[in-house]
Amino acid sequence: QLNLIGALFNNFALGSAGGDLAKAIQITRRAPKLRAEALTILFLDRFVGLMALFVIAAGFVLLSRADPRIEQVRLFIFAVLGAGIAGAV
């Protein structure tokens, strides 16, 4: 049920985090003793998805190594990926 509620809010609410917010509200209402665990899992789900996107972007940036126009993009992608890995550790 919570996944369907989250999908509904992600599709029809403003922004892509609306479903996560709706799921967090429902979880805190249904299981107040597991509030911290549930919110941590929601955060980790969003974090892992973002890091996966940066890994894919890093792969494509490495494939286009000969193009000097994307040097700033390359630095940004690897900086965010490095910060994410350091934060996870």
Side-chain angles (χ1 to χ4, degrees), residues 16-77:
S16 63
D20 289 342
L21 183 63
K23 285 196 290 187
I25 291 170
Q26 289 296 320
I27 289 171
T28 55
R29 286 183 183 167
R30 292 181 184 186
K33 292 182 180 180
L34 300 175
R35 180 179 297 170
E37 291 87 350
L39 295 178
T40 301
I41 291 204
L42 285 173
F43 171 75
L44 285 176
D45 179 42
R46 187 60 71 154
F47 178 76
V48 168
L50 185 65
M51 288 297 109
L53 285 176
F54 273 101
V55 166
I56 293 169
F60 281 111
V61 166
L62 287 175
L63 288 175
S64 62
R65 198 180 286 206
D67 193 357
R69 296 178 295 174
I70 63 166
E71 186 63 32
Q72 290 179 342
V73 174
R74 181 180 299 130
L75 290 174
F76 174 75
I77 288 173

